[in-house]
Amino acid sequence: MPRTGRLTTAAALLAAISALATACTGPAAESAADDPKADVTLAFWHGWSAPGEVRAIEDGIARFEKAHPNIKVQVTGNMTDDKINQALRAGGAKAPDVVSSFTTDSVGTFCNSRALADLNPFLQKSGIDKTKVFPRTLLEYTQFKGNQCTLPLLNDAYGLVYNKTAFAAAGITEPPRTWSRFVEVAQKLTKADPSGDSYEQVGLMPTFHGYETTPMRLAAQWSPTYFDAEGRSNLSRDPAFAKMLTAQKDLVAALGGYEKLERFRSTFGDEWSAEHPFHTGKVAMQIDGEWRAPMAKEAGVAFEIGTAPLPVPDDQAADYGKGYLSGTVVGIASGSRKQNAAWELVRYLTTDTEAVVAFANAIHNVPSTLAALESPDLEVTPELRTFLDIARHPKSSTTPARADGGTYQLTFQDFAYAVEKGAVADIPAGLAKADRQIDTDIAKAE
């Protein structure tokens, strides 16, 4: 079961940024002088904790150690970004040499504070052209202001997972491609319970607390630009944001209204359990990642599952197939005295096609290199193929890295919460206020 990155509170992020900015860093990557062929032990910290995930990591490390007999790797799992930040600040013998994070929003912080080493010199020294190895969008969220302080380690693509049996019963023959059709389908699949006060099934849980239904993932379908050429927040000047918020608010109203939907949402099971509302039939369409279909099958659902890209605005119908991308990142601690050896591990995990494919197959994620996406060894189910196509789509997008980590996204998200509740009378004015707050927060972080 993959773990998607979660936005933490703005206060926590800003505190982490401030602390990391004062961290003592080790030698610059360009001056790393350790001998990668010498006997050495590396400390690798990652966030995976489920047995299958941990086993997949261990299998990959075993293959690496077999190919690099002089390098031993001590692996520590279930490490949060908070624990990683603390260790990077403290440094010393107990600090990790290589770290992996689920939270792409942390990349701007890691790079801006120089807590992680710039990997560009290592890539150049190894003769690796990153633009020919990794998809463009993945490179966007793994660097900040030219500092490639992380590299992609698998990829998450977001699309639509739907109940094909429920579709057939409602006479729906294909997933919706445009937003207007999406609304129609969601309404048709929504069934009230006998009391009329709740639901037996909703076509979609459209509120922004509905697991993976976040403002950022929906906004990607409108192809937004978060920042202008000068780096200023662009929420109020790009019509995409107001259009998305208005469309989502109208969808909430069409499915019964915010309060009624939220009462129904309170009956949902845990996102990562067999009691997920898609698994139990309470939700017919789910905005989610590539892992949801195999998880539903493992939960033993009694219906047929389909996957598709998320619908696009009606005036962007030609761009159908795009979506939001994120993923896991990996980097080398600036304080590590074993950076050349650490690079051997990072290079293997992120650029070795066999390693990337094996890891993707094991934990049902999208591969993070162009070669792995096309590998004949990739185990491609019909459900996964949808997400591979989303990952390849030239107009798929992500949220850009910034020095304030994910704080700018929290500001946007909090505003979106207010909009869907009906608490915002003037969306453009509210977006302009959010712009000012985002610019202030970024200025402080930098």
Side-chain angles (χ1 to χ4, degrees):
M1 179 181 70
R3 302 285 186 85
T4 51
R6 298 294 187 203
L7 291 173
T8 54
T9 65
L13 278 167
L14 287 172
I17 290 163
S18 176
L20 276 170
T22 62
C24 294
T25 59
E30 297 91 330
S31 62
D34 63 291
D35 181 0
K37 296 183 180 180
D39 290 341
V40 66
T41 299
L42 298 175
F44 173 40
W45 288 13
H46 68 79
W48 286 282
S49 60
E53 300 168 343
V54 172
R55 185 167 56 253
I57 285 284
E58 291 174 347
D59 289 346
I61 293 300
R63 289 190 293 270
F64 169 78
E65 289 181 335
K66 184 176 181 180
H68 300 77
N70 62 300
I71 303 177
K72 302 302 178 185
V73 183
Q74 291 181 342
V75 182
T76 304
N78 198 25
M79 300 302 291
T80 66
D81 276 13
D82 284 344
K83 292 177 182 177
I84 290 171
N85 288 338
Q86 291 171 11
L88 292 177
R89 291 198 302 271
K94 294 184 178 181
D97 299 291
V98 177
V99 299
S100 176
S101 170
F102 299 126
T103 312
T104 57
D105 308 309
S106 296
V107 169
T109 303
F110 284 137
C111 293
N112 188 62
S113 67
R114 305 289 174 175
L116 297 182
D118 184 1
L119 301 179
N120 279 314
F122 294 105
L123 289 161
Q124 293 164 6
K125 187 163 50 178
S126 299
I128 297 173
D129 183 346
K130 61 186 179 182
T131 64
K132 294 181 179 178
V133 175
F134 303 104
R136 172 189 55 79
T137 305
L138 275 60
L139 288 176
E140 288 180 14
Y141 69 64
T142 53
Q143 63 179 314
F144 179 63
K145 291 187 174 181
N147 180 356
Q148 189 75 55
C149 73
T150 66
L151 286 175
L153 179 57
L154 298 193
N155 181 15
D156 290 328
Y158 290 84
L160 194 67
V161 183
Y162 64 96
N163 183 329
K164 294 181 76 172
T165 304
F167 268 50
I172 303 167
T173 58
E174 62 181 8
R177 297 170 66 93
T178 62
W179 188 266
S180 61
R181 179 58 179 160
F182 188 44
V183 175
E184 292 173 3
V185 169
Q187 288 178 296
K188 196 168 186 178
L189 291 167
T190 297
K191 303 175 183 178
D193 72 354
S195 72
D197 295 329
S198 188
Y199 308 86
E200 289 183 356
Q201 173 184 279
V202 290
L204 174 85
M205 177 49 65
T207 63
F208 287 134
H209 290 89
Y211 301 139
E212 304 299 331
T213 306
T214 70
M216 288 67 69
R217 284 163 202 155
L218 275 190
Q221 301 311 105
W222 275 259
S223 293
T225 302
Y226 281 85
F227 298 92
D228 65 17
E230 285 72 43
R232 296 173 302 181
S233 182
N234 203 43
L235 302 184
S236 63
R237 292 184 292 276
D238 185 342
F241 295 100
K243 288 180 179 179
M244 182 279 291
L245 290 170
T246 301
Q248 187 268 354
K249 179 184 176 182
D250 291 346
L251 176 58
V252 169
L255 295 184
Y258 178 78
E259 292 183 1
K260 185 177 179 180
L261 285 165
E262 282 294 283
R263 284 196 303 270
F264 186 56
R265 190 180 64 81
S266 70
T267 69
F268 290 177
D270 182 78
E271 180 176 4
W272 305 112
S273 76
E275 298 305 309
H276 186 288
F278 178 73
H279 302 171
T280 60
K282 288 185 174 183
V283 174
M285 295 187 292
Q286 179 72 35
I287 296 172
D288 222 318
E290 67 278 354
W291 56 85
R292 180 55 52 197
M295 285 186 68
K297 289 183 178 181
E298 289 170 6
V301 300
F303 53 83
E304 190 177 358
I305 299 169
T307 59
L310 287 176
V312 293
D314 289 42
D315 61 357
Q316 297 185 39
D319 294 340
Y320 178 71
K322 65 185 175 182
Y324 180 84
L325 303 181
S326 65
T328 307
V329 298
V330 63
I332 298 172
S334 289
S336 171
R337 302 294 173 176
K338 311 166 188 174
Q339 290 188 5
N340 284 324
W343 169 244
E344 294 301 318
L345 176 60
V346 170
R347 178 171 65 170
Y348 175 80
L349 293 175
T350 61
T351 70
D352 183 280
T353 301
E354 181 180 354
V356 173
V357 169
F359 195 25
N361 286 341
I363 68 170
H364 308 303
N365 271 195
V366 175
S368 44
T369 69
L370 296 169
L373 282 166
E374 305 300 332
S375 172
D377 296 324
L378 186 63
E379 297 171 2
V380 182
T381 63
E383 295 84 11
L384 178 61
R385 188 174 302 281
T386 295
F387 296 95
L388 296 177
D389 290 342
I390 293 170
R392 295 186 187 103
H393 197 284
K395 292 195 176 181
S396 288
S397 61
T398 190
T399 37
R402 280 297 180 269
D404 70 343
T407 304
Y408 80 88
Q409 294 177 49
L410 281 167
T411 300
F412 176 42
Q413 180 173 270
D414 288 344
F415 179 67
Y417 288 160
V419 171
E420 70 177 1
K421 291 179 183 178
V424 176
D426 188 338
I427 290 177
L431 287 170
K433 183 179 179 181
D435 280 336
R436 293 191 292 271
Q437 183 63 55
I438 289 169
D439 289 339
T440 298
D441 290 339
I442 290 177
K444 289 179 180 177
E446 291 182 341

